[in-house]
Amino acid sequence: MTGRGARETEDGGERYVEEALAMARGDGGPRPGGARTRPVLPQDPDIEEALALVRGAPDRPASPADLRDTHLPPPASPAPAGEAVRIATGARVPPDTTAILRSEHGRTDDKGRLHASRDPAHGQDIRPRGQECRSGDHLLPAGTVVTPAVLGLAAAAGYDTLAVLPPPRAEVLVLGDELLTEGLPKDGLIRDALGPMLPPWLRALGAEIVAVRRIGDDEKALRKAVTRSVADLIVTTGGTASGPVDHVHPTLARIDAELLVDGVQVRPGHPMLLARTGESQYLVGLPGNPLAAVSGLCTLAEPLLRVLAGRPAPEPYTLPVREAVQGHPRDTRLVPVTVRGEYAVPLHFNGPAMLRGIAAADALAVVPPGGTGPGAELELLDLPWALAGIGVCLA
């Protein structure tokens, strides 16, 4: 049995119980303060059955009481002295109930009289109203992700609707004529790693993927895709540098986009960019190298999606690195690490075009220019799967 019963107290509180017997002692009515004291927290939240004692002094042995077996809602008036009432799971406790005696701690004789085998403490196993929250309490902060548990809490608190922000819509544009969608790299062609990687990564960051398009090195096709997109965030891969087939900058200029970030002092990933392409639409241009694209995801796409969804920024934290980490001479470097106890362990295979390191990582360590020695405290940027934000498949 899993429900809860309750009774109204004199001060408007309500006490919750599991299945019970409400029992009057027959000693002439309640002692002053005996039945109407403050609620007492339950001792065990997993009670299956219980017996409720009514109008009894909690410090005296229970006298036998006549058992009235009923699963109807308890009467509005107190149970008569000397009579016990069985309380079904989820039913209210009769007024003036002072404690609960579990059914395994009582017995009935052949005359239908109830005997308690132990004295319950005053308020025992009674769940007070307002134990989890009270009127006016702030249940959850703004920006909380609506999980199944949040929906259950809202329903339990009496809410029929919630004011929420929908997940930002994202569209991925995979650029490049040299990309293969299957098979081994050959003849100067390489496998597209970002097309399979970006959609689930963006979903883990809270985005709803509306489309994934492969465009190639075609400026007109890119401009058409950008201007016709209905997404809140457009993510492009490659084409952010200044080479002959890098069309992202010329496209943004032709559509009068506002360039907010045009390159960063971070390795890998320095040619990443952020632009406003409409009143409420943005474009994140990721470099074509896979690990460089990951840097852009963590430092441009993630903060932008968080703001669009109204989520607060996570608290920054640091861990000491177990060994020395080589840095860039001038720029900040992002290095994949795995967390082992109280240390961050740098991973190898961390070049701009490599994914082997990031595939085994828990976070990216922020390494200052020049690098660090063993034991240095570095800020960590958690990866989505380290926070269970992405589905994991085991091969």
Side-chain angles (χ1 to χ4, degrees):
M1 301 182 183
T2 58
R4 294 188 296 182
R7 76 157 176 97
E8 292 288 336
T9 62
E10 186 177 41
D11 60 0
E14 192 171 63
R15 297 179 177 179
Y16 291 89
V17 300
E18 302 297 331
E19 182 169 319
L21 287 170
M23 176 179 172
R25 292 240 173 153
D27 56 2
R31 294 168 55 183
R36 296 183 183 270
T37 59
R38 61 180 179 84
V40 179
L41 295 180
Q43 297 177 349
D44 188 341
D46 298 316
I47 308 166
E48 290 300 321
E49 292 185 282
L51 308 178
L53 302 181
V54 180
R55 292 187 177 181
D59 54 348
R60 294 173 50 194
S63 301
D66 294 328
L67 174 62
R68 178 158 54 88
D69 194 358
T70 177
H71 288 279
L72 297 176
S77 58
E83 185 174 288
V85 179
R86 188 180 300 277
I87 305 296
T89 300
R92 285 176 176 267
V93 179
D96 295 332
T97 298
T98 60
I100 300 300
L101 182 70
R102 306 183 196 186
S103 58
E104 63 265 28
H105 297 156
R107 64 178 180 83
T108 56
D109 57 25
D110 54 4
K111 296 182 180 180
R113 292 169 61 84
L114 173 67
H115 300 262
S117 61
R118 63 179 65 183
D119 283 333
H122 183 69
Q124 175 177 303
D125 293 333
I126 296 178
R127 294 183 177 180
R129 182 181 182 181
Q131 182 180 4
E132 184 172 23
C133 61
R134 297 180 180 275
S135 178
D137 280 356
H138 193 185
L139 297 181
L140 294 169
T144 298
V145 176
V146 181
T147 64
V150 169
L151 292 177
L153 174 63
Y159 287 92
D160 299 324
T161 60
L162 293 176
V164 300
L165 288 172
R169 298 166 298 171
E171 181 171 355
V172 178
L173 305 180
V174 182
L175 312 181
D177 293 334
E178 76 283 5
L179 301 178
L180 294 172
T181 59
E182 61 183 11
L184 294 173
K186 60 182 179 181
D187 303 328
L189 303 178
I190 62 174
R191 277 298 300 269
D192 170 29
L194 297 181
M197 183 177 74
L198 291 183
W201 197 309
L202 291 168
R203 277 193 290 267
L205 296 178
E208 175 188 346
I209 306 302
V210 297
V212 178
R213 307 185 193 279
R214 299 181 183 277
I215 295 178
D217 296 318
D218 187 327
E219 182 182 349
K220 291 183 179 179
L222 175 60
R223 185 166 67 250
K224 181 179 179 181
V226 171
T227 55
R228 293 188 178 185
S229 176
V230 297
D232 303 301
L233 172 62
I234 303 169
V235 179
T236 62
T237 68
T240 57
S242 55
V245 292
D246 293 329
H247 300 305
V248 175
H249 279 95
T251 297
L252 294 175
R254 283 182 172 83
I255 65 173
D256 294 325
E258 181 184 2
L259 201 54
L260 303 175
V261 175
D262 188 11
V264 295
Q265 292 180 306
V266 170
R267 303 297 175 119
H270 64 282
M272 69 178 77
L273 62 84
L274 171 63
R276 190 196 306 270
T277 54
E279 182 177 350
S280 57
Q281 185 185 71
Y282 298 86
L283 183 146
V284 169
L286 300 178
N289 279 324
L291 189 55
V294 168
S295 294
L297 278 173
C298 294
T299 58
L300 284 184
E302 188 277 332
L304 177 60
L305 288 170
R306 180 169 18 91
V307 171
L308 293 177
R311 299 195 306 271
E315 290 292 330
Y317 74 101
T318 65
L319 281 181
V321 288
R322 183 172 290 176
E323 58 194 62
V325 186
Q326 182 180 0
H328 188 272
R330 300 175 304 278
D331 295 343
T332 299
R333 188 167 176 236
L334 299 180
V335 175
V337 296
T338 183
V339 177
R340 294 290 179 264
E342 298 298 322
Y343 287 90
V345 181
L347 297 171
H348 301 293
F349 306 104
N350 51 32
M354 298 180 180
L355 285 175
R356 186 171 171 182
I358 197 69
D362 299 310
L364 290 173
V366 182
V367 182
T372 61
E377 292 275 343
L378 297 181
E379 182 180 354
L380 299 189
L381 305 178
D382 285 320
L383 300 176
W385 51 84
L387 302 175
I390 190 172
V392 177
C393 297
L394 298 180

